[in-house]
């Protein structure tokens, strides 16, 4: 459905996108994550036919964004990270204007508009002026606008930015709904956990390069490198610690005194971990529970984008 | 058939324009200026008595001044309506969304221009009853009025295109507006200055036996005020032909130059609307 080939965008000596390659199947919800300025919006602008790449190309449903921009526009619904609305235009008229902009006949628009408003939960705002809506409502209206010509692909640049928690949840519910409708959705965000919940695949972009791509679990494993394991003991913390310090695959051992817990980072494989635990039991250490700590996606994101921030 | 000529941007712009108070206040200001002039002129010539004569020559004079005044108002108002056409969309962050729709650059630019022209046409039509007062007193033919209205339109479309072009190539509305007013000052003022300058040179040259002066003719022919004067009085056209030695009718040169300005500006605007794309479709 979407094929990005060697996409490069340079502004003078600055490279915003560096030979980006990405392939997405139909119906996939793809989360594009990266720090501000990593190249997410540039990629989306190129896919939305607003920007020409310096080199490379992107195909949407077989149509090239460089050679057939008008055909691509029929296939995509685009929601920019920052957008405005027209003052003195009512919600219904706003959608009608964009419907007409996609050459949808009037009779069809009149059927479509109530359906779209229902989808984004704005039916009761149909006759209100657009500039009087809250930010969350405007965001939902913009999503309805992006759907008016029934595009196969939705490109949503930071759809949840600046929204309060309730509006965020509402937006997420709508996106889930769209996913069940079989749309291919590209969402960008600088908040990884936000995407992890609703995306089938995630791509991590840093300094214009795609540094990871896959499903959420795979990305996590790829990016984390080491696990955080917590052991609970009945007593003898010092002995357990001394035992752990002997293993070269273990680092950052922390004793959580008041809970009689020891947490440590482990670089070994699952099989090596089994051997470690067996050795611990044979050494008669008073261990009664072992668990792997879920690493916060936020931490993962911070770790992978650290390089970009420091530059 | 209707669908073929349906322009969403035009319809939306008209809707927005007629909903804004600014448009009505602009129209009111325009009519008030013309009203004050017409009533003032009538009162002055009749000595505030409400009786007395109003000779056809006076009616003709009123028509001439009214024509120039109306042209000045049109030139003054057009940039404010067109110079924000694209830049205001950019400032309001609505342009990107508009550019991702399947509307062509031509459709968007033409829609923007036509909406402004439509509003100016409304202004001209609203002013017609006041304008037509001169017919009560004679001295002016309806054909003259029709040709003047036609050239108002030609001027409005050309200046409107200049405004839309600057609005497309500059990022800010204020810059586009200054550039458009600058163009009007050039067409209305600087050309007049050049006309007098070349006339003076020509007359000095004539003493030494020089022939016709095309530049004298040209500067007058592209000046909207000069065109209006030649339209209301054919004597003016003859005088210019005598002065410059060029027999070509002023209106024809004006029409050609202003159509060329329109075509050039619209082409640039259409090419530059999707400036970040290699193909401008």
């Amino acid at each position: 459905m979407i094929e990005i080939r060697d996409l490069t965008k340079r502004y003078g000596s600055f490279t915003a996108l560096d030979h980006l390659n990405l392939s997405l199947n139909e119906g996939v919800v793809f989360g594009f994550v990266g720090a501000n300025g990593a190249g997410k919006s540039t990629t989306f602008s190129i896919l939305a036919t607003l920007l020409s790449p310096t080199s490379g190309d992107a195909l949407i449903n077989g149509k090239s964004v460089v050679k057939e921009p008008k055909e691509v526009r029929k296939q995509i619904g685009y929601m920019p990270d920052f957008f405005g609305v027209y003052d003195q235009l009512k919600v219904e008229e706003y959608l009608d204007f964009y419907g007409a902009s996609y050459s949808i006949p009037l009779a069809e628009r009149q059927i479509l508009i109530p359906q779209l408003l229902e989808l984004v939960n704005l039916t009761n705002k149909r006759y209100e002026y657009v500039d009087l809506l809250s930010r969350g409502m405007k965001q939902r209206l913009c999503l309805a606008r992006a759907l008016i010509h029934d595009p196969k692909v939705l490109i949503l640049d930071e759809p949840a930015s600046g929204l309060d928690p309730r509006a965020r949840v509402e937006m997420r519910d709508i996106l889930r709904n769209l996913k069940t409708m079989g749309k291919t959705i590209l969402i960008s965000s600088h908040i990884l956990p936000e995407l992890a919940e609703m995306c089938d695949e995630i791509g991590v972009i840093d300094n214009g390069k795609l540094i990871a791509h896959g499903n959420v679990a795979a990305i996590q494993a790829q990016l984390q490198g080491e696990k955080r394991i917590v052991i609970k003991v009945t007593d003898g913390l010092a002995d357990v610690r001394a035992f752990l310090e002997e293993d070269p695959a273990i680092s950052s051992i922390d004793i959580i005194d008041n809970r009689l817990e020891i947490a440590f980072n482990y670089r070994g494989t699952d099989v090596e971990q089994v051997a470690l635990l067996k050795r611990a039991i044979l050494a008669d250490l008073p261990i009664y529970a072992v668990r792997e700590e879920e690493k916060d996606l936020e931490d993962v994101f911070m770790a992978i984008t650290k390089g970009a921030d420091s530059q | 058939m209707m669908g073929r000529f349906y322009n969403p941007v035009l319809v939306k712009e008209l809707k927005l324009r007629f909903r804004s108070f600014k448009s009505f206040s602009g129209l009111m200001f325009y009519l008030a200026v013309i009203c004050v002039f017409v009533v003032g002129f009538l009162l002055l010539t009749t000595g505030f008595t409400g009786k007395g004569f109003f000779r056809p020559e006076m009616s003709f004079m009123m028509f001439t001044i009214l024509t120039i005044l109306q042209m000045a108002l049109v030139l003054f108002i057009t940039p404010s309506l067109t110079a924000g056409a694209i830049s205001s969309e950019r400032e309001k962050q609505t342009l990107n969304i508009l550019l991702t729709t399947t509307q062509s650059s031509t459709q968007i630019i033409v829609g923007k221009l036509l909406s402004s022209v439509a509003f100016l046409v409304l202004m001209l039509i609203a002013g017609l009853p006041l304008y037509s007062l001169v017919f009560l007193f004679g001295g002016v033919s309806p054909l003259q009025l029709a040709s003047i209205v036609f050239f108002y339109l030609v001027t409005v479309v050309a200046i409107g295109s200049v405004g839309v072009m600057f609005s497309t190539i500059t990022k800010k509305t204020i810059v586009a507006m200054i550039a458009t007013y600058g163009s009007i000052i050039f067409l209305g003022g600087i050309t007049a200055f050049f006309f007098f300058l070349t006339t003076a040179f020509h007359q000095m040259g004539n003493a030494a036996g020089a022939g016709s002066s095309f530049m004298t003719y040209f500067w007058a022919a592209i000046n909207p005020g000069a065109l209006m004067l030649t339209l209301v009085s054919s004597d003016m056209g003859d005088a210019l032909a005598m002065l410059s030695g060029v027999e070509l009718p002023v209106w024809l040169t004006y029409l050609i130059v202003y159509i060329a300005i329109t075509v050039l500006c619209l082409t640039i605007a259409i090419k530059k609307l999707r400036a970040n794309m290699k193909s401008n479709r």
Side-chain angles (χ1 to χ4, degrees):
Chain A
M1 174 53 86
I2 296 174
E3 190 77 46
I4 298 177
R5 294 175 190 158
D6 272 330
L7 206 62
T8 303
K9 181 71 190 176
R10 287 196 194 90
Y11 299 97
S13 59
F14 174 70
T15 306
L17 276 184
D18 195 359
H19 296 92
L20 189 80
N21 285 291
L22 184 67
S23 182
L24 296 174
N25 294 326
E26 193 170 348
V28 161
V29 179
F30 176 76
F32 211 20
V33 66
N36 293 331
K40 304 183 300 282
S41 291
T42 306
T43 311
F44 279 9
S45 292
I46 293 172
L47 293 179
T49 74
L50 289 169
L51 198 64
S52 278
T54 310
S55 65
D57 200 353
L59 303 181
I60 292 180
N61 211 11
K63 308 286 178 194
S64 156
V65 293
V66 179
K67 295 185 195 110
E68 305 155 282
K70 200 161 182 177
E71 288 304 312
V72 170
R73 284 176 206 133
K74 289 180 191 166
Q75 314 274 347
I76 58 154
Y78 172 62
M79 187 164 140
D81 47 354
F82 298 104
F83 66 91
V85 290
Y86 299 107
D87 309 337
Q88 295 174 313
L89 213 55
K90 290 175 184 168
V91 167
E92 185 187 36
E93 294 167 336
Y94 178 83
L95 290 177
D96 187 69
F97 164 61
Y98 286 104
S101 295
Y102 283 103
S103 311
I104 300 168
L106 179 66
E108 218 171 295
R109 296 202 298 266
Q110 284 170 341
I111 299 167
L112 261 174
I113 290 169
Q115 290 173 351
L116 285 170
L117 288 176
E118 199 182 326
L119 179 75
V120 297
N121 213 358
L122 283 175
T123 305
N124 57 344
K125 301 286 175 190
R126 186 171 172 178
Y127 301 108
E128 285 199 19
Y129 282 101
V130 175
D131 52 331
L132 299 178
L133 300 182
S134 69
R135 189 181 161 91
M137 288 176 187
K138 279 182 191 164
Q139 208 89 351
R140 266 146 50 204
L141 179 64
C142 192
L143 186 60
R145 191 263 321 146
L147 287 165
I148 195 134
H149 55 301
D150 194 22
K152 288 195 169 68
V153 177
L154 272 177
I155 299 171
L156 314 175
D157 201 353
E158 307 263 358
S161 73
L163 298 187
D164 60 48
R166 175 174 286 276
R168 238 168 235 264
V169 170
E170 282 172 340
M171 180 59 89
R172 207 161 47 208
D173 290 345
I174 296 166
L175 291 176
R176 270 201 200 104
N177 208 347
L178 289 171
K179 185 180 168 179
T180 59
M181 289 160 73
K183 305 268 181 211
T184 307
I185 307 173
L186 279 80
I187 314 169
S188 78
S189 177
H190 55 277
I191 306 165
L192 185 58
E194 187 179 280
L195 292 180
E197 279 180 52
M198 54 181 149
C199 293
D200 304 319
E201 289 179 30
I202 281 185
V204 183
I205 189 168
D206 192 20
N207 280 328
K209 284 183 182 156
L210 194 69
I211 55 171
H213 174 211
N215 64 38
V216 180
I219 289 277
Q220 240 173 314
Q222 187 181 342
L223 295 173
Q224 279 179 340
E226 50 186 38
K227 314 173 203 178
R228 184 83 174 160
I229 295 171
V230 180
I231 293 178
K232 288 191 176 192
V233 292
T234 49
D235 57 21
L237 279 169
D239 293 343
V240 177
R241 183 183 184 124
F243 169 81
L244 293 172
E245 276 171 347
E246 284 171 14
D247 195 316
I250 290 175
S251 62
S252 307
I253 304 170
D254 297 311
I255 294 179
I256 309 158
D257 274 329
N258 54 358
R259 291 212 300 265
L260 287 170
E261 284 179 5
I262 297 182
F264 58 91
N265 287 355
Y266 187 64
R267 277 190 304 278
T269 62
D270 290 350
V271 177
E272 286 166 345
Q273 194 178 321
V274 171
L276 172 74
L277 292 175
K278 206 180 265 177
R279 280 203 316 274
I281 300 299
L282 289 173
D284 229 7
L285 293 174
I287 296 169
Y288 73 92
V290 179
R291 69 181 160 87
E292 192 177 318
E293 201 169 63
E294 282 281 317
K295 206 164 184 179
D296 194 347
L297 280 170
E298 200 78 53
D299 297 338
V300 177
F301 178 70
M302 291 303 284
I304 56 171
T305 55
K306 203 161 60 185
D309 289 345
S310 60
Q311 277 172 15
Chain B
M1 196 64 187
M2 270 303 286
R4 198 185 161 87
F5 294 104
Y6 183 82
N7 187 317
V9 172
L10 173 62
V11 175
K12 186 260 298 174
E13 287 292 313
L14 286 177
K15 205 177 273 177
L16 292 183
R17 208 176 283 288
F18 287 104
R19 276 182 188 170
S20 87
F21 178 72
K22 212 168 70 180
S23 303
F24 285 97
S25 57
L27 189 60
M28 195 175 72
F29 163 75
Y30 173 78
L31 291 176
V33 170
I34 293 185
C35 213
V36 164
F37 170 76
V38 170
V39 173
F41 191 89
L42 289 175
L43 285 176
L44 273 176
T45 45
T46 54
F48 292 93
T49 56
K51 298 175 200 161
F53 287 111
F54 193 79
R55 282 167 291 135
E57 300 88 78
M58 292 308 282
S59 164
F60 178 73
M61 192 187 195
M62 184 171 92
F63 180 70
T64 308
I65 301 173
L66 198 56
T67 303
I68 302 287
L69 179 74
Q70 185 142 289
M71 180 56 112
L73 283 173
V74 163
L75 291 179
F76 180 70
I77 293 165
T78 310
S80 68
L81 291 176
T82 57
I86 301 299
S87 49
S88 70
E89 292 252 4
R90 203 177 277 130
E91 283 163 356
K92 280 189 203 155
Q93 297 182 314
T94 49
L95 185 65
N96 272 357
I97 297 177
L98 190 60
L99 294 182
T100 54
T101 68
T102 50
Q103 285 196 88
S104 66
S105 303
T106 311
Q107 255 183 313
I108 295 172
I109 293 291
V110 170
K112 286 281 181 184
L113 176 68
L114 286 184
S115 70
S116 309
V117 171
F119 185 73
L120 284 154
V121 168
L122 172 80
M123 276 189 156
L124 293 176
I125 291 172
L128 271 184
L130 284 164
Y131 218 137
S132 306
L133 270 180
V134 290
F135 290 116
L136 289 175
F137 307 108
V140 178
S141 78
L143 188 69
Q144 256 179 327
L145 184 66
S147 64
I148 284 167
V149 170
F150 172 74
F151 276 97
Y152 278 152
L153 276 181
V154 171
T155 313
V156 161
V157 171
I159 303 290
S161 307
V162 173
V164 172
M165 179 195 73
F166 281 125
S167 184
T168 311
I169 59 176
T170 60
K171 288 214 159 49
K172 297 221 182 275
T173 303
I174 187 77
V175 180
M177 212 165 275
I178 291 168
T180 314
Y181 275 115
S183 310
I184 288 174
I185 290 170
F186 174 78
L187 289 172
I190 310 274
T191 52
F193 172 73
F194 281 153
F195 167 72
F196 290 119
L197 204 65
T198 47
T199 305
F201 274 129
H202 180 54
Q203 279 169 346
M204 277 192 286
N206 254 359
S212 65
S213 165
F214 180 75
M215 285 321 285
T216 305
Y217 167 82
F218 179 75
W219 293 123
I222 63 167
N223 185 295
L227 169 86
M228 288 299 145
L229 285 177
T230 60
L231 286 178
V232 291
S233 157
S234 56
D235 293 347
M236 289 287 186
D238 296 342
L240 181 65
M242 285 255 295
L243 184 71
S244 63
V246 180
E247 295 287 339
L248 201 65
V250 167
W251 64 264
L252 185 61
T253 310
Y254 188 91
L255 191 63
I256 293 168
V257 170
Y258 278 64
I259 287 176
I261 291 174
T262 306
V263 172
L264 181 73
C265 290
L266 289 183
T267 310
I268 294 173
I270 290 164
K271 288 256 176 254
K272 293 287 175 189
L273 182 64
R274 288 182 162 109
N276 294 327
M277 287 298 289
K278 277 171 194 153
S279 65
N280 292 290
R281 283 168 289 179

